[in-house]
């Protein structure tokens, strides 16, 4: 009896967590390069129920079969599908078409720079001509991005070659970026730099950092990317509003169902407490 | 309480900022030399929802289940694309810049400010006619000095060439230089300029110091078009689409708040 109360309670908590994940998608429906997230539900491990002290069967314990006592979040997954493009015609707005990430050096407060990865290509140049994110973090060039090695060590890829390893251009020249990420100045045929775009073998080893950035954890493997770089374009969020709204209905109703279940069990308990044994 | 309430609130605040920016662009659609701005957003930090996660086929995943906490406005960036050239009606002192340069004016506080608005007028100063913007701030030449023309000239005969030189016809009708040249300045990072009222920009550390086009051969000089004004680079259709996106995104987030609220209400109703 009381077991069911807690089973329904885990259901409510689970739906609340799913709601949190879904709301983050809605809040980021206008965030560049955002990839939508979802949460799966997973039942608790099955436990074997045994009936004991049953006089009808010579007081022998008797197996009843398995039962599951609740639900929890299985995993949160990220949908890395391509977002749609928005043409901005801004020189330093870059979008990636296909699998891959821009490599960015993120410097923490204690001065250590680690490589983070992002699909948000809304860049700008600073006064020295370095290509930076809107928060001022350096966008790394191809050698530095690939130089992180194949396997990612614990604590992420640290990078010390700053700012030499970043993409640098002449800010007063006309900048052209080809689909391979080569950067040209004015009519020059020789690229001055190449933007670092890399990919990972298994996206399960990418952790969300916030600020539109991902950080690889130990076990991730850096590999070459086949993504094409599109200049003057931004990749929009891949959140699908219709799907999220349907998801919201499902979540709120599932939550309501579990709430009703608790109320029903409560009513049954009330009967047991107050009515049984009443004259 | 519930994370979703705050995530959705952050989304609503972000869309409010977005709409503020769009509204400012639309209201300046006819402002000479106005450069449009775009608000951009980033995800907030992520929290671990559950440390141990399992995939559908029962294997443990290397990363914990994470939940994001919403969004924030990362930047409001000005786009310095060229605006349309609009012919002004007989404006001798109307100029448009074709290129990346800015005009310089001397502010009331003595500092130099920069603008793309080339709608200038001739005002009577102490020593002659001074070229000023419509607020009366003197326009500076390549040496950073105000442009003061002799009092006896006929202003309608002034010609300004593409490099910004002031020319005046002599007795035989040949154009002679007046030894004044409008100053044009460029910046390494124009997006870093501090936007001020009256279409003026101020230099900041982020923009870098002004580069005088006259003294620097490494940059591509801009050209000046007399009798033209640079229109705003705001595209109304773009802004309208952005407005729809902003409004709907705002609505969606408010729905998420409503749903979270209902859920909390149901939780409260558990105990009768």
């Amino acid at each position: 009896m009381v077991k069911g109360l807690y089973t329904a309670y885990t259901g409510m908590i689970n739906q609340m967590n799913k709601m949190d994940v879904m709301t983050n998608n809605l809040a980021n429906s206008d965030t560049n390069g955002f990839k939508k997230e979802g949460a799966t539900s997973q039942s608790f491990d099955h436990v074997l129920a045994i009936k004991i002290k049953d006089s009808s069967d010579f007081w022998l314990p008797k197996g009843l079969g398995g039962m599951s006592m609740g639900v929890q979040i299985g995993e949160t997954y990220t949908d890395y599908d391509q977002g749609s493009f928005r043409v901005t015609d801004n020189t330093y707005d870059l979008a990636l078409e296909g699998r891959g990430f821009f490599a960015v050096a993120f410097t923490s407060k204690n001065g250590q720079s680690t490589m983070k990865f992002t699909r948000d290509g809304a860049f700008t140049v600073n006064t020295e001509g370095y290509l930076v994110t809107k928060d001022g973090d350096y966008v790394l060039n191809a050698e530095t991005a690939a130089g992180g090695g194949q396997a990612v060590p614990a604590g992420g890829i640290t990078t010390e070659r700053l700012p030499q390893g970043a993409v640098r251009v002449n800010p007063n020249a006309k900048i052209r970026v080809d689909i391979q990420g080569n950067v040209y100045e004015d009519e020059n045929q020789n690229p001055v730099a190449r933007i670092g775009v890399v990919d990972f073998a298994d996206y399960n080893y990418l952790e969300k950092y916030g600020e539109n950035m991902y950080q690889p954890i130990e076990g991730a493997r850096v590999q070459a990317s086949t993504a094409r770089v599109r200049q003057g374009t931004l990749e929009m969020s891949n959140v699908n509003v219709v799907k999220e709204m349907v998801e919201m209905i499902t979540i709120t109703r599932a939550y309501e169902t579990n709430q009703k279940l608790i109320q029903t069990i409560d009513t049954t308990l009330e009967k047991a407490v107050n009515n049984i044994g009443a004259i | 309480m519930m994370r979703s309430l705050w995530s959705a609130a952050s989304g609503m605040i972000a869309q409010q900022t977005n709409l503020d920016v769009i509204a400012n662009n639309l209201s300046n659609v006819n402002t000479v030399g106005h450069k449009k701005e775009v608000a951009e957003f980033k995800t907030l930090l992520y929290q671990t929802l559950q440390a141990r996660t399992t995939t559908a086929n029962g294997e443990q995943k290397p990363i914990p289940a994470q939940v994001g906490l919403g969004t924030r406005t990362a930047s409001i960036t000005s786009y310095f694309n060229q605006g349309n050239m609009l012919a002004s009606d007989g404006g001798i002192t109307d100029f448009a810049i074709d290129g990346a340069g800015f005009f310089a004016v001397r502010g009331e506080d003595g500092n130099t400010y920069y603008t793309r608005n080339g709608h200038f007028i001739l005002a009577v100063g102490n020593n002659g006619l001074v070229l000023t913007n419509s607020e009366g701030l003197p326009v500076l030449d390549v040496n950073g000095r105000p442009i003061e023309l002799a009092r006896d000239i006929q202003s309608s005969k002034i010609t300004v060439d593409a490099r910004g030189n002031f020319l005046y016809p002599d007795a035989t009708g040949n154009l002679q230089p007046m030894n004044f040249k409008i100053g044009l300045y460029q910046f390494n990072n124009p997006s870093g300029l501090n936007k001020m009222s009256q279409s003026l920009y101020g230099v900041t550390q982020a923009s870098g110091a002004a580069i005088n086009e006259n003294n620097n051969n490494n940059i591509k000089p801009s050209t000046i078009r007399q009798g033209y004004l640079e229109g705003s680079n705001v595209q109304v259709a773009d802004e309208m689409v952005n407005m729809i996106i902003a409004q709907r995104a705002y609505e969606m987030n408010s729905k998420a708040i409503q749903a979270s609220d209902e859920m909390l209400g149901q939780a409260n109703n558990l105990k009768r």
Side-chain angles (χ1 to χ4, degrees):
Chain A
M1 189 71 86
V2 183
K3 280 203 283 284
L5 205 57
Y6 286 101
T7 309
Y9 148 82
T10 60
M12 282 179 84
I13 296 289
N14 187 49
Q15 295 305 326
M16 208 165 97
N17 286 337
K18 286 181 90 163
M19 183 74 188
D20 291 344
V21 174
M22 193 227 54
T23 308
N24 186 50
N25 287 342
L26 288 184
N28 286 296
S29 58
D30 204 11
T31 302
N32 294 332
F34 181 75
K35 298 294 168 200
K36 70 163 180 256
E37 291 144 20
T40 60
S41 305
Q42 192 192 33
S43 64
F44 281 6
D45 288 344
H46 274 252
V47 288
L48 200 61
I50 296 179
K51 197 187 208 181
I52 54 168
K53 292 181 185 171
D54 184 5
S55 59
S56 66
D57 201 14
F58 307 103
W59 301 93
L60 286 173
K62 197 168 136 191
L64 286 177
M67 64 198 285
S68 176
M69 305 305 291
V71 66
Q72 62 178 358
I73 294 290
E75 56 169 332
T76 53
Y77 58 88
T78 309
D79 183 349
Y80 286 96
D81 272 359
Q82 179 78 49
S84 47
F85 287 140
R86 174 164 68 195
V87 177
T88 62
D89 286 331
N90 198 23
T91 314
Y92 304 112
D93 281 349
L94 307 174
L96 288 179
E97 188 185 341
R99 283 174 61 116
F101 298 90
F102 293 110
V104 169
F106 181 81
T107 308
S108 68
K109 247 186 178 164
N110 56 24
Q112 203 190 26
S113 297
T114 47
M115 240 189 251
K116 302 260 188 287
F117 299 87
T118 181
R119 295 277 297 188
D120 174 12
F123 299 135
T124 184
V125 288
N126 65 12
T127 44
E128 283 115 55
Y130 287 106
L131 193 64
V132 290
T133 66
K134 291 284 162 69
D135 288 338
D137 299 318
Y138 292 109
V139 178
L140 298 174
N141 61 24
E143 296 104 76
T144 318
Q150 291 291 302
V152 175
I157 314 165
T158 53
T159 172
E160 273 130 32
R161 295 182 53 236
L162 282 176
Q164 298 83 12
V167 176
R168 190 177 193 177
V169 296
N170 174 4
N172 301 106
K174 196 171 157 53
I175 303 298
R176 194 161 48 86
V177 181
D178 70 5
I179 59 167
Q180 261 130 26
N182 291 312
V183 184
Y184 303 89
E185 283 173 358
D186 290 324
E187 306 308 316
N188 227 325
Q189 291 305 311
N190 296 319
V192 288
R194 187 168 176 200
I195 293 168
V197 179
V198 293
D199 196 10
F200 293 91
D202 186 355
Y203 287 170
N204 278 335
Y205 287 87
L206 286 184
E207 203 174 43
K208 302 284 165 56
Y209 184 75
E211 311 287 317
N212 292 358
M213 290 192 272
Y214 302 89
Q215 61 180 354
I217 57 165
E218 190 178 4
R221 289 181 70 81
V222 180
Q223 62 181 37
S225 165
T226 53
R228 288 176 293 273
V229 180
R230 300 274 178 212
Q231 193 185 14
T233 324
L234 282 177
E235 187 185 4
M236 298 197 295
S237 164
N238 70 347
V239 172
N240 182 336
V241 177
V242 184
K243 209 169 160 237
E244 299 302 321
M245 280 297 159
V246 173
E247 181 82 10
M248 199 196 287
I249 295 171
T250 320
I251 290 167
T252 48
R253 290 304 172 200
Y255 187 83
E256 210 175 338
T257 315
N258 281 296
Q259 186 247 11
K260 285 278 178 290
L261 205 59
I262 292 183
Q263 283 190 341
T264 313
I265 295 166
D266 185 30
T267 317
T268 330
L269 280 173
E270 192 197 355
K271 287 257 187 295
V273 171
N274 293 329
N275 296 0
I276 299 176
I279 304 162
Chain B
M1 203 92 113
M2 277 174 89
R3 296 183 194 91
S4 57
L5 276 175
W6 302 108
S7 307
S10 77
M12 285 179 84
I13 293 165
Q15 292 309 323
Q16 268 174 27
T17 311
N18 198 4
L19 198 60
D20 289 347
V21 172
I22 294 167
N24 183 51
N25 283 340
L26 284 176
S27 64
N28 283 299
V29 73
N30 277 329
T31 303
V32 174
H34 177 73
K35 297 296 171 195
K36 75 164 177 191
E37 292 164 317
V38 174
E40 278 162 8
F41 306 101
K42 283 198 167 169
T43 53
L44 281 177
L45 70 157
Y46 276 75
Q47 258 188 345
T48 300
L49 194 60
Q50 193 175 295
R52 190 171 167 274
T53 51
T54 349
T55 57
N57 49 22
E59 289 155 11
Q60 186 163 355
K61 274 184 85 169
I63 49 170
Q66 292 181 298
V67 58
L69 297 182
T71 187
R72 70 173 174 95
T73 314
S75 66
I76 298 173
T77 314
S78 300
Y79 280 42
F80 285 91
N81 317 7
Q82 183 78 43
N84 293 335
M85 293 290 183
L86 311 170
S88 77
D89 297 326
I92 303 293
T93 52
D94 282 347
F95 305 103
I97 303 173
D98 187 358
F102 289 82
F103 296 112
V105 295
R106 165 103 7 102
E108 277 127 359
D109 54 1
N111 293 328
T112 307
Y113 297 106
Y114 300 89
T115 182
R116 290 283 291 194
N117 182 345
H119 179 61
F120 298 144
I121 49 172
L122 285 170
V124 178
N126 293 335
N127 307 315
L129 296 170
V130 186
L131 189 72
T132 71
N133 73 358
S134 48
E135 259 65 52
L137 304 178
V139 179
L140 304 181
D141 70 355
V142 285
N143 301 317
R145 286 195 300 262
I147 298 172
E148 287 197 298
L149 307 173
R151 205 180 284 273
D152 55 350
I153 61 154
Q154 253 185 303
S155 57
S156 59
K157 286 187 181 165
I158 298 173
T159 321
V160 175
D161 70 5
R163 311 237 48 83
N165 292 307
F166 275 70
L167 307 170
Y168 193 74
D170 60 8
T172 55
N174 290 325
L175 293 175
Q176 298 298 332
M178 295 171 84
N179 295 324
F180 279 113
K181 189 173 177 188
I182 296 184
L184 286 178
Y185 299 85
Q186 288 192 16
F187 297 92
N188 278 350
N189 178 21
S191 309
L193 287 168
N194 182 18
K195 279 204 160 188
M196 293 181 294
S197 55
Q198 325 285 13
S199 302
L200 296 182
Y201 300 93
V203 177
T204 67
Q205 225 165 16
S207 69
I211 305 164
N212 192 337
E213 286 193 1
N214 200 42
N215 317 334
N216 194 316
N217 298 325
N218 296 329
I219 56 172
K220 211 168 139 197
S222 345
T223 52
I224 287 186
R225 305 247 177 270
Q226 190 185 18
Y228 284 89
L229 287 174
E230 186 188 8
S232 156
N233 67 350
V234 174
Q235 296 291 336
V236 178
D238 272 2
E239 298 302 323
M240 280 300 173
V241 172
N242 286 340
M243 202 195 306
I244 293 172
I245 294 174
Q247 196 194 347
R248 292 301 177 197
Y250 187 79
E251 207 176 332
M252 247 154 46
N253 282 296
S254 78
K255 282 271 187 286
I257 291 186
Q258 270 179 16
S260 309
D261 177 39
E262 271 169 36
M263 284 165 75
L264 285 175
Q266 282 163 11
N268 278 350
N269 283 332
L270 276 174
K271 180 76 188 75
R272 285 170 299 182

